[in-house]
Amino acid sequence: MDSAVARLSEVEAQLGETEELVAARELVEQRRGEVRQIQERQKSLDWDAEEVRRKALEIEGKLYGGTVKNPKELEDLQADLSSLRSQLRKREDAVLEVMLELEDAETALKEAEAALAELESAWKAEQASLTETQAALKGEIQALEAKRPRQLEGMDRAALSLYQTLRERRQGAAVAVVERGLCQGCRITLPMSILQKARSGLGLVQCVSCERILLVN
Ligand SMILES: [Zn+2]
């Protein structure tokens, strides 16, 4: 029963999300945020370029529309136009740069999403198997709990109380197996007299060192 309870708590400790999974999900969120940020920047740069383009068209209209005849004014318009065109080139370059940046960010996001999906599917399979093991162990423990009182019936009370005391004193292991004359609880070589007594099967025999009840196979 102790071993089933220990295994159950081990299984239950593994239920739930792993740090790896949480980190993978955070990475996806972070990269999604990066993509959104770049998209915002692209939108604003597009708008800036559009604004300059619109102004340049307006000046072109004036310059070639035939309504302005004064040479000084025409010269000024020409200067404005070439300044706007150079601004426009710079802004279009900036738009191109941010588009490349966006492509990279989108690739990185896809990679993070693929890694997360893979981790998630492995994790789900593992959780399903852990849940199955958990249910099996719970059933096992229940069956043992039901069996225990029946086995206690008619058992020597002094022996039972010794067993309980030792269990508490020795971290749950009240019984030690004897192998090749050694107590497997504390690894001491047992005296011949103790071994003979234990082998006789008459009453409980305890280890001279760790006091555990000796079990000779
Ligand atoms: Zn011992």
Side-chain angles (χ1 to χ4, degrees), residues 116-130:
L116 174 62
E118 204 175 304
L119 266 178
E120 245 169 357
S121 85
W123 176 79
K124 271 183 196 151
E126 203 201 351
Q127 292 294 302
S129 128
L130 284 170

Side-chain angles (χ1 to χ4, degrees), residues 4-208:
V5 168
R7 273 183 290 148
L8 179 63
S9 83
E10 225 170 82
V11 163
E12 284 175 344
Q14 288 175 71
L15 283 170
E17 297 203 326
T18 61
E19 273 175 42
E20 205 185 9
L21 187 65
V22 172
R25 192 172 295 134
E26 276 170 2
L27 185 64
V28 166
E29 272 316 303
Q30 186 197 323
R31 293 197 169 163
R32 230 169 245 160
E34 280 162 11
V35 165
R36 258 197 308 270
Q37 229 181 6
I38 297 170
Q39 281 169 336
E40 290 298 315
R41 256 198 297 141
Q42 189 194 0
K43 221 184 279 172
S44 139
L45 285 168
D46 272 340
W47 194 84
D48 279 359
E50 191 45 46
E51 183 71 8
V52 176
R53 202 173 288 126
R54 197 184 53 73
K55 275 187 196 158
L57 273 175
E58 203 182 297
I59 296 204
E60 262 178 345
K62 276 189 197 163
L63 193 59
Y64 305 117
T67 49
V68 181
K69 300 240 183 325
N70 182 324
K72 175 74 180 92
E73 234 177 281
L74 284 170
E75 204 177 299
D76 286 349
L77 284 172
Q78 187 63 60
D80 283 352
L81 184 60
S82 69
S83 149
L84 281 170
R85 278 182 178 158
S86 114
Q87 271 184 53
L88 184 59
R89 270 195 301 278
K90 274 186 202 141
R91 295 192 183 196
E92 281 171 344
D93 284 350
V95 170
L96 280 178
E97 228 167 86
V98 89
M99 279 167 77
L100 290 177
E101 221 183 298
L102 182 60
E103 253 175 55
D104 287 347
E106 280 170 344
T107 306
L109 171 61
K110 267 183 205 139
E111 276 168 14
E113 281 172 340
L116 174 62
E118 204 175 304
L119 266 178
E120 245 169 357
S121 85
W123 176 79
K124 271 183 196 151
E126 203 201 351
Q127 292 294 302
S129 128
L130 284 170
T131 308
E132 237 173 72
T133 311
Q134 181 191 32
L137 283 169
K138 278 184 175 167
E140 200 179 306
I141 290 165
Q142 245 172 7
L144 287 168
E145 272 169 352
K147 200 172 160 192
R148 195 168 192 272
R150 289 202 301 275
Q151 291 210 324
L152 285 178
E153 268 171 43
M155 199 172 256
D156 179 53
R157 295 194 77 80
L160 194 59
S161 127
L162 174 66
Y163 174 83
Q164 291 293 7
T165 309
L166 287 172
R167 224 173 99 80
E168 277 159 36
R169 242 190 259 165
R170 299 286 173 229
Q171 287 83 46
V175 177
V177 173
V178 177
E179 253 170 49
R180 275 168 273 131
L182 287 181
C183 163
Q184 295 300 305
C186 67
R187 319 288 300 173
I188 201 178
T189 304
L190 294 158
M192 197 45 84
S193 59
I194 294 285
L195 279 176
Q196 277 168 352
K197 227 167 131 189
R199 280 195 193 108
S200 74
L202 301 168
L204 297 181
V205 181
Q206 289 172 259
C207 170
V208 286

